[in-house]
Amino acid sequence: MVKIPPYLKKGDLIGITCSSSKMDLQAAEYARGVLTSWGYRVHLGITVGTSFHNFSAPDELRLEELQDMLDDPEIKAVIFGRGGYGMVCIIDKLDFTRFRKQPKWLCGYSDITTLHSHINRQFGIATLHAMMCSGITPDTLDDEYVRSLATALKGKPYRYSTAAHPLNREGKTTGILVGGNLSMLANLSGTPSQVNTKGKILLLEDIGEYRYNVDRMMYNLKRAGWLDKLAGLVVGAFTDGKETDTPFGQTEYEIISNLVKDYDYPVCFGFPSGHQPANYALKLGVKHELKIGAKTILSEV
């Protein structure tokens, strides 16, 4: 049975930390203001607005702050400042003993996929694949994707729809939603953080990858058995794709479509999730229904 953390009430405390790459302090303070306007108290961690090479801070400090937020019973949710790189450097040193007894919502995507997958595989606790503080800006303040984060934190069920895509494979299925960033998932293959995909709906998205590398990572998932017994596949945004001097010859969506052509589960492309403003909040570890036809509908069950 999946364990669902308590949903938030007005006055609850949210922690903001940068456990991976650095984030501008002014941007974090803006996001704090928005979260405060939703009725929450917000604590900005000391890794917010700091810099250590590509990271927000050295491993030891990022680890200490995230550990403190996981353990603090007053903090009811943690929203990460941004992704980038760095979670894999500290994941094996985190102690989840208190978190398992008193789980809280952990909100983020991209590099935070490592944390989502580890918690799903090891503890069966739901987490939130959603925009981070870096995605809450004056331009996005009132859009449906920022509102989806507010809705998810309150515990209201959601039903998202998007237009059909020519590569879609139609059908209807239900299953627990897992996954996230393809690069992170491929990196976790064969580790204790590799999520079990059997009977699950798998979400994939990525940014800034060479197309041949997307092909290679998809072959990694296929050869490792990730794709064999899925209930369904949801493919989000693959933004800022790169080519070598000789083009690969397929788009990211064509690559994925080709790698799953021998299976019969429903597959949708172009779902609003990933490194783009159109990024719905999705509860990983929670059962969903996926309907793919004239349009795609993904809803929490």
Side-chain angles (χ1 to χ4, degrees):
M1 293 293 293
V2 174
K3 190 168 185 178
I4 308 295
Y7 293 109
L8 271 62
K9 307 182 297 296
K10 285 191 175 181
D12 279 346
L13 180 64
I14 294 175
I16 296 177
T17 184
C18 291
S19 299
S20 302
S21 295
K22 57 191 175 185
M23 183 187 184
D24 180 72
L25 178 59
Q26 185 175 1
E29 288 177 336
Y30 181 83
R32 176 171 63 178
V34 173
L35 295 171
T36 300
S37 74
W38 293 352
Y40 304 122
R41 296 178 295 128
V42 180
H43 167 66
L44 282 186
I46 60 173
T47 60
V48 179
T50 60
S51 177
F52 180 75
H53 305 298
N54 183 58
F55 305 102
S56 66
D59 289 357
E60 295 77 14
L61 183 55
R62 302 196 325 274
L63 170 65
E64 180 182 3
E65 179 162 273
L66 179 54
Q67 186 69 66
D68 287 345
M69 290 192 180
L70 290 174
D71 291 347
D72 188 340
E74 191 176 3
I75 292 178
K76 304 303 181 183
V78 177
I79 300 180
F80 293 90
R82 58 168 298 202
Y85 174 72
M87 184 61 71
V88 73
C89 307
I90 64 174
I91 190 70
D92 292 324
K93 297 178 182 178
L94 288 167
D95 183 349
F96 293 95
T97 303
R98 294 185 183 178
F99 174 79
R100 292 174 67 183
K101 293 178 180 178
Q102 292 184 306
K104 60 194 69 179
W105 286 103
L106 305 179
C107 312
Y109 71 108
S110 190
D111 189 55
I112 311 305
T113 295
T114 297
L115 186 62
H116 291 315
S117 296
H118 187 82
I119 288 173
N120 181 281
R121 176 61 184 266
Q122 294 295 322
F123 314 122
I125 297 172
T127 57
L128 194 58
H129 186 279
M131 69 176 59
M132 296 169 280
C133 294
S134 57
I136 304 175
T137 70
D139 291 335
T140 65
L141 173 60
D142 294 319
D143 71 21
E144 61 184 299
Y145 306 105
V146 171
R147 291 199 302 272
S148 76
L149 174 60
T151 297
L153 289 172
K154 292 177 183 177
K156 295 182 180 179
Y158 52 74
R159 181 178 184 271
Y160 302 136
S161 66
T162 189
H165 189 279
L167 292 176
N168 281 1
R169 184 157 62 218
E170 296 186 358
K172 177 181 176 181
T173 189
T174 58
I176 289 175
L177 185 66
V178 297
N181 183 261
L182 173 60
S183 299
M184 297 300 104
L185 295 173
N187 178 256
L188 297 176
S189 191
T191 74
S193 304
Q194 176 181 335
V195 70
N196 180 5
T197 59
K198 183 178 179 180
K200 310 291 177 56
I201 298 173
L202 178 63
L203 170 69
L204 297 175
E205 63 83 28
D206 219 323
I207 183 174
E209 290 292 339
Y210 283 96
R211 285 175 172 159
Y212 81 87
N213 199 35
V214 171
D215 192 63
R216 178 166 58 191
M217 290 188 291
M218 287 301 300
Y219 268 109
N220 176 302
L221 298 194
K222 185 169 187 175
R223 296 184 69 220
W226 290 62
L227 307 178
D228 291 350
K229 300 183 184 300
L230 292 179
L233 179 63
V234 175
V235 184
F238 276 70
T239 48
D240 300 336
K242 299 176 182 178
E243 291 277 23
T244 59
D245 291 340
T246 302
F248 186 72
Q250 291 179 297
T251 67
E252 291 85 355
Y253 285 180
E254 288 169 341
I255 289 167
I256 295 172
S257 180
N258 181 57
L259 266 292
V260 299
K261 66 183 180 182
D262 295 331
Y263 308 116
D264 60 2
Y265 44 75
V267 181
C268 79
F269 292 87
F271 189 82
S273 178
H275 290 75
Q276 59 178 14
N279 186 19
Y280 280 126
L282 297 165
K283 296 172 188 174
L284 300 179
V286 173
K287 194 172 184 180
H288 285 69
E289 181 179 69
L290 175 64
K291 296 180 182 179
I292 305 172
K295 59 183 177 179
T296 293
I297 299 174
L298 182 65
S299 54
E300 179 186 354
V301 177

